[in-house]
Amino acid sequence: MADPSSYRPKPGQIPDSPGVYKFRDEHRRVIYVGKAKSLRQRLANYFQDLANLHPRTRTMVTTAASVEWTVVATEVEALQLEYSWIKEFDPRFNVKYRDDKSYPYLAVTLNEEFPRVQVMRGAKKKGVRYFGPYGHAWAIRETVDLMLRVFPVRTCSAGVFKNAARTGRPCLLGYIGKCSAPCVGRVTPEEHRELADDFCDFMAGRTGTYIRRLEKDMMAAADEMEYERAARLRDDVEALKRAMEKSAVVLADATDADLIAVAEDELEAAVQIFHVRGGRVRGQRGWVTDKVEAVDTSGLVEHALQQLYGEETGDSVPKEVLVPALPEDPEAVSQWLAGRRGSQVSLRIPQRGDKKDLMVTVQRNAQQALGLHKTKRASDLTTRSRALEEIAEALGLDTAPLRIECFDISHLQGDDVVASMVVFEDGLARKSEYRRFQIKGFEGQDDVRSMHEVIGRRFRRYLQEKERTGEWEESPAPSGAVPAPETAAGDGDPFDNEPREDDGRPKRFAYPPQLVVVDGGQPQVAAAKRALDELGIDDIAVCGLAKRLEEVWLPEDDDPVVLPRSSEGLYLLQRVRDEAHRFAITYQRAKRAKRIRSSPLDAVSGLGETRKQALIKHFGSVKKLKQATIDEICEVPGIGRRTAESVAVALASTTPAAPAVNTATGEIIEEDDGGSTS
């Protein structure tokens, strides 16, 4: 525990101006980021009698070993820089909201020639128009199914679209009138984009225009005795009205607003957001967080605004944001929101009328979300604690293994040999700590030798981190330890591109586990233990979980430990092992797919993907390109003589593939790969 007075800056050193400050621990990791109108006044609050500080603040300042700051011109710049640093450094003492689930959005890919309507999750992409988020994906699909009658926009994947264009036959939706079938040329790209724009306008709340237009067309068709067309338009109007009924009007005057409510106790907080567009609730989402810093409702609201709008621009930031409490500096936050939107944004507390009534509903949802989260967490925490205690008892550990790392080897008949490392902390997966390896020390299939290499590489890096940060004064590895295999940059190995400076970012491999689990039996466990012994590490437990009988193997034990089938400890070990297997096989399949898609042209230095495609398009196939002369290759735009010579040499050095044979007739099939190479 550090004494804050040991690193307290002199009063004259701290400027009396706006800025952002960072507290770092003894290993230079950033543990807290904050902003202030006056850095001098704010930092002075941290360096007072510890008895007067909030317990969370007291823990932070005694964990820290230094403080530094950056001066900015305005409070708005401070707000933006604070958000950027929290996102970059992930400080342990800052409030960080986490989604209680991955919310689906209705997305329209306006960045494509033929925009597509689909369900999307995860990070937002440039050029895609989003609506939502929605509570369930099926709610999106029901809405889209109703609207495709009126706006028959493409919904198929790129593969289905290309196949339909190649065969000249549209998919089922094209036949039943729920797609305008741009794949076969029924509409032009301009006409299809107009449909997509109308779809977006309707979803954005401009509904009355389209319904009135359809009703007018319906009456005109009836007057002209085109009763079938009038009936179809009547059904279209009913479909749009049913789609609108799924989101009732909650605010008059077609209001665009986001309503944010917070429910909190001493330890946790829950945030609920209602997205209202065109007066209707178009989406809802919720976050929960641990209150790891001393923060009130205003601070929670400010953090929520930063996370909600930090990556948004344009219409994604509404004209009006309603909150239960204003941030500490509402004018700066309003200016920041206006900068994200590009026009004025009203940030206020609703006082009366429909907006206050709706805020009560949002607040009720936040209270229910916090109660549900605490109930689930209490149950889950009890189960996880029991599982960790059972593992510690079964393996003879002094304490429960709060950090578990599991390793697995994956390959296909000895090819593309890879390994995975997954991390569970407090019984929960910590995916940001997952790592993957390529086996480089030897060729072929040898799971035991592969496990020894991977364990050695992972913990050799751990020792290097300890030595570099000063936690270990000299490397404990014995002189005969095998050096880590050399790796080529960009090959996917986790040791590549590792930051070497003490920049405060979370470091890879810097934290040791209490337990290492390997996927396998006694041979794999012995290999892992031998790798640790060679590095002089004797304070990390090792075990293996064999798939056949789910037996737990320990080093130097001839008989396995058998946990009861109903054991929570066994269930946790199985989840860890299965996650390592999933992560490893996903990586191995990706490498295999990349190798299968490889081309002889990949060996040509400086030949990028664009020029590869230009060569294939010009000659029609790799086979025909191989038969071309250097002068003919030079005719391709962008290909110089030196590159043409390199292409010719690379193709000449490839071994010709055996001819394909039709097994039914025995005939040799002439090759015409059309650009698909392997």
Side-chain angles (χ1 to χ4, degrees):
M1 179 179 294
D3 182 1
S5 62
S6 64
Y7 63 88
R8 177 176 183 171
K10 295 179 181 179
Q13 292 179 333
I14 307 175
D16 188 19
S17 57
V20 183
Y21 54 91
K22 292 181 288 191
F23 281 88
R24 295 179 183 264
D25 64 11
E26 58 182 334
H27 306 303
R28 301 292 297 162
R29 290 186 287 262
V30 176
I31 62 172
Y32 184 74
V33 172
K35 63 174 177 58
K37 286 184 178 180
S38 170
L39 286 169
R40 181 178 300 171
Q41 294 179 15
R42 176 60 59 84
L43 289 177
N45 293 333
Y46 292 101
F47 298 103
Q48 55 178 297
D49 188 351
L50 293 178
N52 297 330
L53 294 176
H54 190 282
R56 296 188 183 93
T57 306
R58 187 187 313 141
T59 303
M60 188 274 291
V61 297
T62 54
T63 302
S66 64
V67 62
E68 57 194 53
W69 55 85
T70 298
V71 176
V72 297
T74 66
E75 291 87 346
V76 177
E77 290 183 19
L79 188 72
Q80 182 63 51
L81 183 58
E82 180 194 33
Y83 168 75
S84 301
W85 278 358
I86 290 175
K87 185 178 179 181
E88 178 181 2
F89 296 113
D90 191 25
R92 57 176 291 198
F93 286 102
N94 277 95
V95 165
K96 296 179 289 293
Y97 293 106
R98 54 187 184 273
D99 278 336
D100 49 13
K101 56 183 172 180
S102 176
Y103 289 93
Y105 285 82
L106 171 59
V108 184
T109 58
L110 297 176
N111 55 351
E112 297 182 351
E113 181 184 8
F114 297 100
R116 175 190 177 194
V117 175
Q118 60 180 316
V119 177
M120 276 192 179
R121 298 178 185 265
K124 293 185 177 180
K125 300 178 181 178
K126 187 176 181 180
V128 179
R129 184 83 180 271
Y130 292 89
F131 302 96
Y134 289 78
H136 303 280
W138 54 261
I140 302 178
R141 296 189 178 97
E142 284 187 356
T143 300
V144 171
D145 186 62
L146 290 170
M147 294 183 61
L148 288 181
R149 284 186 54 91
V150 186
F151 310 108
V153 186
R154 166 196 164 208
T155 58
C156 60
S157 65
V160 173
F161 186 89
K162 290 178 181 178
N163 185 62
R166 180 178 58 82
T167 60
R169 296 192 301 272
C171 63
L172 177 62
L173 292 179
Y175 282 111
I176 64 176
K178 288 193 172 183
C179 178
S180 55
C183 53
V184 294
R186 287 187 186 173
V187 294
T188 64
E190 292 75 17
E191 291 171 335
H192 185 266
R193 181 164 292 274
E194 185 177 350
L195 282 173
D197 290 338
D198 289 345
F199 181 96
C200 292
D201 287 343
F202 188 89
M203 289 300 302
R206 292 181 280 276
T207 57
T209 302
Y210 295 99
I211 291 180
R212 286 193 296 271
R213 187 177 69 188
L214 289 175
E215 289 176 339
K216 182 179 179 181
D217 292 344
M218 178 183 67
M219 298 304 295
D223 291 341
E224 296 173 5
M225 293 186 290
E226 297 180 5
Y227 299 118
E228 291 184 1
R229 180 169 176 266
R232 186 169 64 254
L233 291 171
R234 177 201 61 200
D235 293 342
D236 290 348
V237 171
E238 292 300 321
L240 290 183
K241 288 182 177 179
R242 287 199 302 273
M244 291 172 58
E245 289 169 358
K246 291 182 176 296
S247 54
V249 175
V250 292
L251 297 178
D253 302 326
T255 302
D256 289 347
D258 283 350
L259 288 86
I260 301 173
V262 177
E264 58 181 310
D265 58 20
E266 285 298 317
L267 299 177
E268 295 175 306
V271 173
Q272 282 287 307
I273 302 101
F274 276 25
H275 302 279
V276 179
R277 299 295 183 269
R280 300 173 183 270
V281 178
R282 296 293 185 180
Q284 175 186 355
R285 66 190 306 181
W287 296 327
V288 291
T289 184
D290 295 321
K291 295 173 71 173
V292 293
E293 61 174 296
V295 61
D296 56 10
T297 304
S298 296
L300 291 170
V301 167
E302 183 172 316
H303 287 307
L305 293 172
Q306 286 179 309
Q307 178 153 329
L308 186 60
Y309 303 116
E311 305 295 330
E312 304 292 347
T313 57
D315 291 340
S316 297
V317 182
K319 297 178 182 178
E320 194 172 3
V321 179
L322 305 177
V323 295
L326 292 176
E328 180 181 348
D329 190 350
E331 292 183 2
V333 176
S334 296
Q335 291 178 28
W336 176 69
L337 291 173
R340 308 298 306 178
R341 175 179 170 82
S343 62
Q344 188 64 36
V345 175
S346 172
L347 177 65
R348 62 187 184 87
I349 303 172
Q351 301 293 335
R352 63 184 67 84
D354 294 340
K355 293 177 181 178
K356 185 176 182 180
D357 293 341
L358 183 57
M359 179 63 84
V360 172
T361 302
V362 183
Q363 180 68 37
R364 189 181 304 119
N365 276 264
Q367 293 285 1
Q368 292 175 350
L370 180 61
L372 179 61
H373 169 74
K374 295 185 77 68
T375 301
K376 290 169 60 179
R377 183 168 184 174
S379 174
D380 184 52
L381 183 61
T382 302
T383 302
R384 287 187 282 120
S385 299
R386 184 165 64 250
L388 294 173
E389 290 172 359
E390 289 180 0
I391 292 173
E393 182 179 355
L395 303 185
L397 306 180
D398 295 333
T399 59
L402 298 182
R403 180 180 172 106
I404 300 174
E405 293 182 2
C406 184
F407 297 81
D408 185 28
I409 308 296
S410 181
H411 57 82
L412 180 64
Q413 297 179 347
D415 293 330
D416 300 317
V417 185
V418 300
S420 67
M421 179 187 100
V422 302
V423 179
F424 275 58
E425 290 187 352
D426 296 331
L428 296 175
R430 188 176 175 86
K431 295 192 175 183
S432 62
E433 297 284 320
Y434 285 15
R435 299 290 177 258
R436 59 192 190 184
F437 305 79
Q438 294 186 50
I439 303 303
K440 297 176 175 292
F442 62 94
E443 298 289 338
Q445 174 183 350
D446 189 336
D447 287 0
V448 175
R449 191 176 173 186
S450 299
M451 186 64 71
H452 177 272
E453 176 184 325
V454 170
I455 297 292
R457 287 164 61 185
R458 184 264 180 267
F459 287 98
R460 188 173 295 109
R461 189 52 184 272
Y462 159 61
L463 297 181
Q464 292 171 357
E465 285 291 337
K466 290 182 71 68
E467 183 178 10
R468 186 174 61 81
T469 58
E471 297 178 62
W472 206 314
E473 296 196 2
E474 60 182 31
S475 176
S479 58
V482 179
E486 294 294 328
T487 61
D491 65 356
D493 193 281
F495 299 160
D496 296 337
N497 307 318
E498 178 66 20
R500 298 295 181 183
E501 299 179 359
D502 293 323
D503 56 5
R505 295 180 178 86
K507 297 296 188 293
R508 301 173 178 174
F509 304 106
Y511 306 106
Q514 285 79 48
L515 175 64
V516 168
V517 181
V518 299
D519 184 10
Q522 199 170 29
Q524 286 84 357
V525 174
K529 180 62 175 174
R530 187 170 68 255
L532 292 176
D533 291 342
E534 291 171 356
L535 295 171
I537 299 175
D538 57 4
D539 58 348
I540 296 177
V542 181
C543 75
L545 186 61
K547 289 189 179 71
R548 189 170 64 89
L549 298 175
E550 303 291 25
E551 300 167 330
V552 180
W553 290 90
L554 298 176
E556 301 175 359
D557 283 3
D558 295 331
D559 298 317
V561 176
V562 180
L563 294 173
R565 290 290 176 178
S566 59
S567 166
E568 291 291 345
L570 177 61
Y571 177 61
L572 177 57
L573 289 176
Q574 288 172 330
R575 283 201 297 127
V576 173
R577 187 268 319 277
D578 292 345
E579 179 69 354
H581 179 69
R582 179 200 65 79
F583 193 53
I585 201 169
T586 300
Y587 181 39
Q588 192 271 331
R589 286 172 176 169
K591 281 183 61 64
R592 185 172 77 246
K594 183 178 180 180
R595 178 170 54 83
I596 291 173
R597 292 194 303 267
S598 64
S599 162
L601 296 176
D602 295 339
V604 181
S605 176
L607 187 65
E609 193 63 33
T610 301
R611 292 200 291 174
K612 288 180 190 176
Q613 295 297 329
L615 286 167
I616 297 299
K617 184 177 180 180
H618 182 85
F619 290 100
S621 70
V622 172
K623 179 181 178 181
K624 294 177 180 177
L625 173 60
K626 191 174 182 179
Q627 298 169 352
T629 65
I630 293 177
D631 290 335
E632 290 173 336
I633 297 175
C634 288
E635 294 176 2
V636 179
I639 304 296
R641 188 164 191 84
R642 181 176 296 180
T643 303
E645 292 172 352
S646 300
V647 169
V649 170
L651 294 178
S653 62
T654 58
T655 304
V661 178
N662 186 323
T663 56
T665 63
E667 296 177 332
I668 295 178
I669 302 174
E670 291 293 332
E671 179 189 5
D672 186 9
D673 52 15
S676 175
T677 61
S678 60

